[in-house]
Amino acid sequence: MSSVAERWRAMRAAIDAECQEIGRSPDDVTLVTVTKFHPASLVRDLIVAGARDFGESRHQDAAPKVAEVNDGSVRWHFVGQIQSNKARAIAQYASAVHSLDRASVVAALRTSEHIVDGFIEVNLTDDPARGGVMGESALLELAALIDETPSIVLKGVMAVAPLDGDADAAFAELHRLSTVLSATYPDATDISAGMSNDWQIALRHGATHLRIGTAITGNRPTVG
Ligand SMILES: *Cc1c(COP(=O)(O)O)cnc(C)c1O
């Protein structure tokens, strides 16, 4: 059985090798290890292995974990759905928020003293109930609002591939929306896409931030 540290090193090596293969620089690709459901002790093992970027998706779980890890060299990425009334609390520890999906969340961050990197979440399904803005005009509308918000530095777009859909087509569309965004906001070129099962596809479509959980951490621990 491999350890979580070994799986993190193997994943980073696989990403670097894939970058070589497709002619991209590994330095342009951030591996965000998603540690939701897992304890602070696992985060510490990963820090020893060299990991510095961690993803969490629920504020209630993330806040105590961040406090317990208590390591200033770590960057926390918030990747889950945000409730507006939690946004400012999230900005206290998160360096980046990947899931900006509506005006109320941006408005809630406006009064934050902490500056965060922001990604606009895009919905690549045709189900409006899924998180994220749908289509170019909604993307540009939210981008304009973020651009007027000094506490958020607009970095780019984020998406989750549709569960039962074609990840290749979805990430191609995300890349297209990224070029639409960066035509107006030249610094907003980042693409947060790719998880344990589809990161190679995301890399080929320009992903700069891979959010990888189970391939490194293993499955959600069973309780009891
Ligand atoms: C859980 C989660 C991930 C990681 O997914 P894995 O399939 O475990 O790699 C990535 N992004 C988001 C938004 C998540 O909630």
Side-chain angles (χ1 to χ4, degrees), residues 32 34 36-37 56-57 79-81 121 158-160 194-197 211-218:
V32 178
V34 180
K36 66 180 181 212
F37 309 134
E56 286 287 328
S57 62
V79 303
Q81 184 114 56
E121 183 171 359
M158 176 274 207
V160 176
M195 312 195 336
S196 291
N197 292 328
R211 308 178 312 270
I212 299 184
T214 46
I216 295 170
T217 62

Side-chain angles (χ1 to χ4, degrees), residues 29-216:
V29 179
T30 301
L31 167 56
V32 178
T33 306
V34 180
T35 49
K36 66 180 181 212
F37 309 134
H38 294 275
S41 57
L42 179 136
V43 176
R44 286 211 198 90
D45 290 346
L46 287 164
I47 293 171
V48 171
R52 286 296 177 275
D53 290 271
F54 297 99
E56 286 287 328
S57 62
R58 277 169 52 96
H59 172 64
Q60 298 92 304
D61 300 333
K65 199 182 300 182
V66 170
E68 201 181 330
V69 170
N70 188 26
D71 183 325
S73 72
V74 162
R75 285 175 297 271
W76 293 95
H77 299 249
F78 197 85
V79 303
Q81 184 114 56
I82 302 180
Q83 294 167 262
S84 301
N85 63 351
K86 303 274 165 58
R88 277 165 49 102
I90 290 166
Q92 303 235 343
Y93 57 82
S95 311
V97 174
H98 291 235
S99 41
L100 299 173
D101 63 352
R102 59 196 193 281
S104 60
V105 173
V106 172
L109 286 170
R110 192 175 289 274
T111 54
S112 168
E113 301 120 47
H114 299 266
I115 296 176
V116 294
D117 287 346
F119 294 76
I120 298 178
E121 183 171 359
V122 173
N123 182 352
L124 298 173
T125 74
D126 25 67
D127 176 4
R130 294 280 303 267
V133 300
M134 291 183 94
E136 265 181 55
S137 56
L139 172 66
L140 291 173
E141 218 171 284
L142 194 58
L145 209 60
I146 293 170
D147 194 47
E148 294 164 2
T149 305
S151 54
I152 308 175
V153 179
L154 181 60
K155 298 300 279 187
V157 291
M158 176 274 207
V160 176
L163 272 180
D164 47 5
D166 176 355
D168 195 56
F171 290 146
E173 171 64 4
L174 183 64
H175 184 265
R176 189 189 71 79
L177 290 168
S178 167
T179 60
V180 168
L181 182 70
S182 61
T184 306
Y185 305 97
D187 294 331
T189 52
D190 285 349
I191 301 178
S192 169
M195 312 195 336
S196 291
N197 292 328
D198 56 18
W199 65 266
Q200 291 99 331
I201 302 169
L203 258 192
R204 285 170 190 262
H205 290 289
T208 60
H209 291 68
L210 306 175
R211 308 178 312 270
I212 299 184
T214 46
I216 295 170

